[in-house]
């Protein structure tokens, strides 16, 4: 019976996306609201990155993973190609773990 919740979530997701497309031209948001929505999205993304990087279960994830994420973030900020960002972040984390940095 797991198919029912999956279908409900899929239908809800489709309704939100389709509704956004239909309502886009019906009203306009003030510039301040657009700025706040943009800032809110960035804050949520940073919070997700922080929690997934720094925590593993209920404990600290160690220093290798945050270092890899920092390298990836720095390269992304410098507009490196996506493949380079991912490979450098993974290599940094793997090499630090290989060196014994937890």
């Amino acid at each position: 019976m797991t198919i029912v919740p999956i279908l409900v979530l899929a239908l809800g997701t489709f309704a939100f996306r389709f509704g956004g497309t239909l309502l886009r031209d019906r009203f306009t948001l003030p510039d301040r609201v657009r700025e706040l929505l943009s800032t809110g999205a960035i804050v949520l993304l940073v919070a997700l990155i922080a929690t997934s990087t720094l925590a593993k279960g209920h404990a600290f994830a160690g220093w290798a993973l945050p270092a890899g994420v920092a390298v990836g973030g720095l390269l992304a900020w410098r507009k490196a190609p996506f493949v380079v960002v991912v490979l450098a972040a993974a290599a940094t984390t793997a090499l630090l773990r290989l060196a014994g940095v937890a």
Side-chain angles (χ1 to χ4, degrees):
M1 283 310 282
T2 37
I3 192 72
V4 173
I6 291 172
L7 290 175
V8 168
L9 288 172
L11 184 63
T13 301
F14 177 76
F16 269 108
R17 294 184 64 125
F18 191 66
T21 303
L22 289 177
L23 294 175
R24 177 178 32 207
D25 296 332
R26 292 200 148 217
F27 63 94
T28 58
L29 294 174
D31 289 336
R32 178 72 179 142
V33 173
R34 287 179 187 258
E35 289 175 23
L36 287 174
L37 287 173
S38 177
T39 302
I42 293 169
V43 167
L44 284 174
L45 181 60
V46 169
L48 175 66
I49 291 170
T51 55
S52 63
T53 299
L54 299 175
K56 187 174 184 182
H58 292 290
F60 179 60
W63 292 106
L65 187 57
V69 171
V71 167
L74 179 68
L75 289 173
W77 178 54
R78 301 290 296 163
K79 302 205 185 308
F82 180 72
V83 174
V84 173
V85 170
V86 171
L87 290 177
T92 300
T93 302
L95 290 173
L96 285 173
R97 286 183 177 166
L98 186 64
V101 176

